[in-house]
Amino acid sequence: LNDGSSEMTYKLAMRIAGLAKISDEFGRIPSRVFDEVKKLYSYRSAIVHGNEKTGTTKEIKLDDGSTTYASALAFEYLRIVLRVLLENPKYLDLKKIDHELLLDFEPNTASD
């Protein structure tokens, strides 16, 4: 087990899940985003490291029971993350994601 790799996967998944809190475009709850990003990273690792079982991870099973191609899901997340970051450039600073969205996040509450 490579702790550095596991930590990188965890950080990436957490930060993207944090961004999901501020954008309805994800269409998923942050915990689901976290799980799907981890699956995508696993697929990426299989390709990069030449794992012969890459074909078994080409399709990702989603929480609703459906499946999608890893590449399609990765492009979807990339598009959404880029849009969120363009609309909220302060989150280009990873510490802001960590502190504002993960540690100190308080959802906006509309008071009428």
Side-chain angles (χ1 to χ4, degrees):
L1 176 68
N2 183 341
D3 288 337
S5 176
S6 297
E7 184 178 341
M8 177 63 73
T9 304
Y10 182 81
K11 283 181 180 181
L12 178 67
M14 284 296 290
R15 289 172 175 159
I16 294 175
L19 293 174
K21 291 180 176 183
I22 62 169
S23 174
D24 293 335
E25 195 171 347
F26 281 89
R28 298 165 176 84
I29 60 172
S31 61
R32 187 170 162 205
V33 170
F34 176 82
D35 291 340
E36 290 177 358
V37 171
K38 283 179 58 176
K39 290 176 184 176
L40 285 171
Y41 202 84
S42 175
Y43 178 65
R44 171 244 169 240
S45 293
I47 292 171
V48 169
H49 299 294
N51 188 334
E52 294 177 8
K53 297 181 181 180
T54 303
T56 62
T57 57
K58 186 187 297 187
E59 288 188 354
I60 293 179
K61 185 174 182 180
L62 304 176
D63 287 347
D64 64 5
S66 65
T67 59
T68 187
Y69 285 106
S71 58
L73 188 60
F75 281 122
E76 178 184 353
Y77 274 127
L78 178 60
R79 181 186 58 78
I80 295 169
V81 166
L82 287 174
R83 176 170 285 156
V84 170
L85 292 175
L86 287 170
E87 292 173 356
N88 302 276
K90 69 179 181 178
Y91 294 122
L92 291 170
D93 178 351
L94 298 177
K95 290 180 183 177
K96 292 226 183 265
I97 294 175
D98 295 346
H99 289 278
E100 292 181 18
L101 298 179
L102 300 176
L103 299 175
D104 299 328
F105 182 75
E106 293 185 29
N108 293 334
T109 55
S111 55
D112 293 322

